Amino acid sequence: MNQEERNIDQELELMRQDYAALKERFDKQQIINDHLMQNAMKKDVKRLFLSKKSVPAVIALFIIAVILCYVQGFEWWVPLSLIIYGILTIPGIFWVYKGIREEDIYNGDILSTTEALRKFKNRYVVLVTSICILFFAFVIVATLYMTSMNISTELMWRRGIVIALLCVGTLALEYYSAKRLLSSCDAIIERLKMKDE
């Protein structure tokens, strides 16, 4: 073997070593990227299922709101409106989450999970729109009812302010939570697409 062949062999060996080191670094980077993506996905999945897991707290809040309406002496239609709202909203939450499970997001078929998440988004938008329509109807009925009552102006304003604050606060919370939930849903769909590629 002459000097030129030895030099070529040494260069090839160096190239093999460089390739092995580069492959090892790439594999480590891939593991780190997968780990970071999994952590980010866990946060989004947790946010996605927060509404479903908070149903018992929502039921408790409805009960407290109805009790407060009776204690404050509101007319019969105010607690009835809250009860109707709860009866429509709580089953609506379960309808929105129909076909979506945490395990499927992590381990399920990517295409069917992505399709289920898209259906979830559409149903969630329908539910939020229905909630907003209910609130606007409630505000209109409350306004019409209070202006037709023979109560003092001070009491009418006090009740009106309480109802307005409840409605505005609830709509603001609903908007904020819907925005976060839908962005989490989009992020999960995007990560599932990246995982598929």
Side-chain angles (χ1 to χ4, degrees):
M1 193 186 288
N2 63 22
Q3 183 66 28
E4 189 178 322
E5 289 175 346
R6 271 185 250 156
N7 287 342
I8 291 174
D9 284 342
Q10 286 176 346
E11 284 180 31
L12 284 174
E13 186 58 35
L14 283 173
M15 287 174 67
R16 282 187 199 110
Q17 289 173 359
D18 287 345
Y19 175 76
L22 189 61
K23 184 174 181 335
E24 184 180 341
R25 285 176 53 198
F26 177 76
D27 290 343
K28 285 180 182 176
Q29 186 64 39
Q30 190 68 28
I31 290 169
I32 290 169
N33 286 344
D34 289 344
H35 182 68
L36 290 173
M37 189 188 320
Q38 194 76 315
N39 283 343
M41 195 142 139
K42 282 180 184 176
K43 289 178 185 174
D44 288 328
V45 169
K46 185 178 179 181
R47 188 175 297 144
L48 184 72
F49 285 92
L50 184 64
S51 295
K52 187 176 182 180
K53 291 178 180 175
S54 65
V55 167
V58 170
I59 292 171
L61 285 174
F62 276 123
I63 291 170
I64 291 169
V66 169
I67 291 169
L68 284 175
C69 285
Y70 283 116
V71 169
Q72 287 292 316
F74 283 98
E75 295 297 321
W76 60 270
W77 61 271
V78 176
L80 181 64
S81 299
L82 286 172
I83 291 168
I84 291 170
Y85 173 75
I87 289 171
L88 295 175
T89 303
I90 293 167
I93 290 172
F94 289 109
W95 169 70
V96 166
Y97 283 94
K98 184 177 140 191
I100 300 283
R101 295 179 346 166
E102 287 185 57
E103 303 85 39
D104 293 341
I105 292 174
Y106 292 120
N107 303 320
D109 175 42
I110 292 173
L111 290 175
S112 61
T113 303
T114 303
E115 183 61 31
L117 286 170
R118 286 191 178 116
K119 286 179 183 176
F120 166 84
K121 280 180 61 175
N122 292 337
R123 289 189 297 241
Y124 189 78
V125 168
V126 168
L127 179 66
V128 170
T129 304
S130 301
I131 288 170
C132 290
I133 290 170
L134 280 171
F135 267 110
F136 286 125
F138 177 76
V139 169
I140 290 169
V141 169
T143 304
L144 291 174
Y145 185 77
M146 282 195 302
T147 54
S148 69
M149 291 176 57
N150 289 331
I151 59 173
S152 70
T153 308
E154 179 188 341
L155 184 60
M156 188 170 70
W157 274 104
R158 195 168 36 151
R159 287 184 177 178
I161 289 171
V162 168
I163 289 172
L165 287 175
L166 283 172
C167 291
V168 169
T170 303
L171 288 175
L173 285 172
E174 190 63 38
Y175 172 78
Y176 176 71
S177 66
K179 185 176 173 184
R180 287 186 67 189
L181 189 137
L182 291 175
S183 68
S184 293
C185 193
D186 288 338
I188 292 169
I189 290 171
E190 194 61 38
R191 286 189 184 92
L192 287 173
K193 284 181 185 176
M194 288 170 53
K195 195 176 181 183
D196 192 31
E197 296 167 356

